[in-house]
Amino acid sequence: MLERVRPDVIPFTRPYITTREHQYLDEVLASGHLQGDGPMTAEATRLVEQISGAARALLTPSCTHALEMATLLLELGAGDEVVVPSFTFSSTAAAVALPGAVPVFADIDPDTLSLDPDSLETCITPRTRAIYVVHYGGVGADMKRILDIAARHDLRIVEDNAHGLGARWYGRALGTFGALATQSFHGTKNVQCGEGGALLVNDPAYLERAEIIREKGTDRSRFLRGQVDKYTWTDIGSSYLPSELQAAVLRSQLESFDEIQRLRHRIWNSYAESLAVWADSTGTRQMHVPAAAEHPAHVYYVLMSTHQAQRELLELMRARGVTGTFHYIPLDSSPAGRRFGRTPYPCMVTQDIAYRLVRLPLYAGMTDADVDRVVDVVSSYRVSPASLVSR
Ligand SMILES: *Cc1c(COP(=O)(O)O)cnc(C)c1O
């Protein structure tokens, strides 16, 4: 059912558009070069590399496509297993399952909601080839332990860093730990171009083949650089490059990165301060960021005491015109997760947290009045008798 658009409703998210998006789009339209890998892509790529600190970035039409490229580059297929957190977007696991590899679902750390190294270790078998780490909300997973486990078992690491552009763990940028990493520029992310993404290539051994797979299996990138005098079909591949129209919007957004991040952090900090007393009084846990993590203010969540309390808060927010939302439905118990994946041990933390988490509106264009209204509505929630007796 379509909800009537109400101007008085605070949405969950809204793109932060400046005047430059229009200017760059006009430039692309006037240039006649609308297909991929033109000057806008080059500039957006440079900015992604600068902000992420990754050795090389390749723009893709989405983070999902970048994850698929990673799976192809690691040559994963039938008989291979990849450890993936159960608490993530479907794409992380779907990209593993696409060529027939098996996503094996591990649990998350209750503190960061990112991959739990202990659970990861219990999922490893002689068939395990890789670990796809997700940094939930851009709060880094324990990469020291995960790197150590990967080294001991000779596993490749891919970071699904969809949330974490610009975030750090012990001072090192997320997206620079894995052999490969992925970013999302989907309309709901901090920096966006509607649909978009990037593959970060940290291990240079994957770079040449990554370019070929992205260009329909051809060596066109080398041709464009003048390294070969004609280009031809040399490998498997697909069309994993966005058009210059998307790159134009992305370039503008990336140029506003510092401003967007400053505005988002201001709202995040405001929620953290203003909701502390209410959280204490209702047995709610506020989003926690360990001292080692510099987060990107991608999400602000609270963990209600019970599933019933989650439903009650979401209903209260909806009734008062503030859009809150839960997040991932655990993949281990999803229909495709059961069909294509394997879950050696129940993901207890994921199953618990998914049904207690509530995300609050967070976007760079929120006014102080919007933030105050969200705080007012959320902090009017009181624990009900029904929420106390449910799990
Ligand atoms: C948004 C998201 C994706 C998918 O990103 P797209 O760019 O829409 O493909 C993948 N993984 C995580 C963790 C995400 O949040």
Side-chain angles (χ1 to χ4, degrees):
M1 191 182 74
L2 274 177
E3 293 237 356
R4 193 164 57 89
V5 178
R6 287 167 48 190
D8 57 321
V9 170
I10 297 179
F12 179 66
T13 185
R14 177 180 279 162
Y16 186 71
I17 304 296
T18 72
T19 51
R20 274 192 323 271
E21 279 86 350
H22 299 272
Q23 181 198 321
Y24 291 161
L25 280 169
D26 282 345
E27 279 179 32
V28 171
L29 293 169
S31 77
H33 182 124
L34 275 64
Q35 71 272 32
D37 278 344
M40 289 296 172
T41 299
E43 187 51 22
T45 304
R46 192 188 66 74
L47 289 165
V48 172
E49 287 167 357
Q50 185 186 308
I51 294 168
S52 69
R56 278 301 310 274
L58 297 173
L59 294 197
T60 57
S62 69
C63 181
T64 307
H65 286 95
L67 287 162
E68 289 177 20
M69 285 183 68
T71 307
L72 294 176
L73 285 164
L74 299 187
E75 299 181 82
L76 300 171
D80 295 327
E81 293 185 348
V82 177
V83 182
V84 174
S86 172
F87 193 62
T88 180
F89 191 59
S90 57
S91 299
T92 324
V96 168
L98 192 64
V102 176
V104 176
F105 296 110
D107 212 345
I108 50 169
D109 178 331
D111 208 30
T112 59
L113 312 197
S114 297
L115 184 63
D116 173 11
D118 287 324
S119 176
L120 155 66
E121 199 143 27
T122 62
C123 290
I124 294 172
T125 73
R127 289 169 173 253
T128 311
R129 296 271 318 279
I131 307 163
Y132 281 26
V133 180
V134 178
H135 306 294
Y136 183 76
V139 176
D142 185 345
M143 290 313 295
K144 187 172 179 304
R145 286 198 55 206
I146 293 170
L147 286 169
D148 176 60
I149 293 166
R152 269 191 285 118
H153 296 273
D154 192 22
L155 308 174
R156 302 319 324 254
I157 294 177
V158 175
E159 294 172 83
D160 177 346
N161 194 34
H163 303 175
L165 185 66
R168 290 171 184 277
W169 191 80
Y170 283 107
R172 180 167 164 188
L174 302 185
T176 63
F177 290 92
L180 301 164
T182 64
Q183 302 294 152
S184 175
F185 304 117
H186 181 262
T188 55
K189 303 304 200 285
N190 290 19
V191 162
Q192 60 96 19
C193 58
E195 304 280 353
L199 178 73
L200 307 184
V201 184
N202 296 310
D203 182 340
Y206 292 111
L207 187 57
E208 187 176 331
R209 192 151 184 257
E211 288 182 338
I212 290 170
I213 286 174
R214 180 169 170 271
E215 266 287 13
K216 303 103 183 158
T218 72
D219 55 357
R220 185 162 183 274
S221 301
R222 298 182 66 209
F223 171 72
L224 292 176
R225 285 195 297 265
Q227 293 166 322
V228 286
D229 61 3
K230 57 183 175 332
Y231 74 88
T232 185
W233 184 30
T234 62
D235 203 339
I236 57 162
S238 186
S239 186
Y240 287 125
L241 65 167
S243 85
E244 282 282 279
L245 295 166
Q246 284 154 294
V249 175
L250 182 61
R251 174 185 172 187
S252 175
Q253 292 266 301
L254 291 164
E255 286 174 353
S256 300
F257 182 72
D258 290 343
E259 182 189 347
I260 290 173
Q261 291 304 101
R262 188 170 44 73
L263 291 165
R264 295 185 73 105
H265 274 287
R266 205 166 153 259
I267 297 158
W268 197 99
N269 291 332
S270 192
Y271 283 152
E273 277 170 34
S274 312
L275 293 170
V277 172
W278 164 79
D280 257 3
S281 73
T282 53
T284 301
R285 204 194 88 186
Q286 292 180 282
M287 177 172 173
H288 175 64
V289 179
E294 284 167 54
H295 73 96
H298 176 59
V299 296
Y300 185 87
Y301 66 79
V302 293
L303 288 175
M304 305 305 289
S305 56
T306 61
H307 180 43
Q308 176 67 19
Q310 178 201 46
R311 279 192 296 213
E312 289 173 357
L313 177 61
L314 287 171
E315 175 50 29
L316 171 82
M317 291 171 75
R318 199 198 57 75
R320 296 199 35 200
V322 171
T323 315
T325 174
F326 48 86
H327 212 173
Y328 307 124
I329 301 302
L331 293 185
D332 64 290
S333 54
S334 68
R338 287 171 202 242
R339 184 159 159 219
F340 301 112
R342 202 165 66 72
T343 308
Y345 300 96
C347 298
M348 306 285 277
V349 179
T350 300
Q351 292 291 345
D352 171 41
I353 285 193
Y355 298 102
R356 293 194 291 119
L357 183 141
V358 174
R359 290 181 296 159
L360 308 188
L362 179 54
Y363 49 93
M366 277 184 96
T367 64
D368 288 348
D370 292 335
V371 176
D372 288 347
R373 203 171 121 207
V374 175
V375 168
D376 273 354
V377 168
V378 171
S379 56
S380 74
Y381 174 79
R382 295 283 174 272
V383 173
S384 74
S387 77
L388 287 173
V389 296
S390 86
R391 76 173 170 91

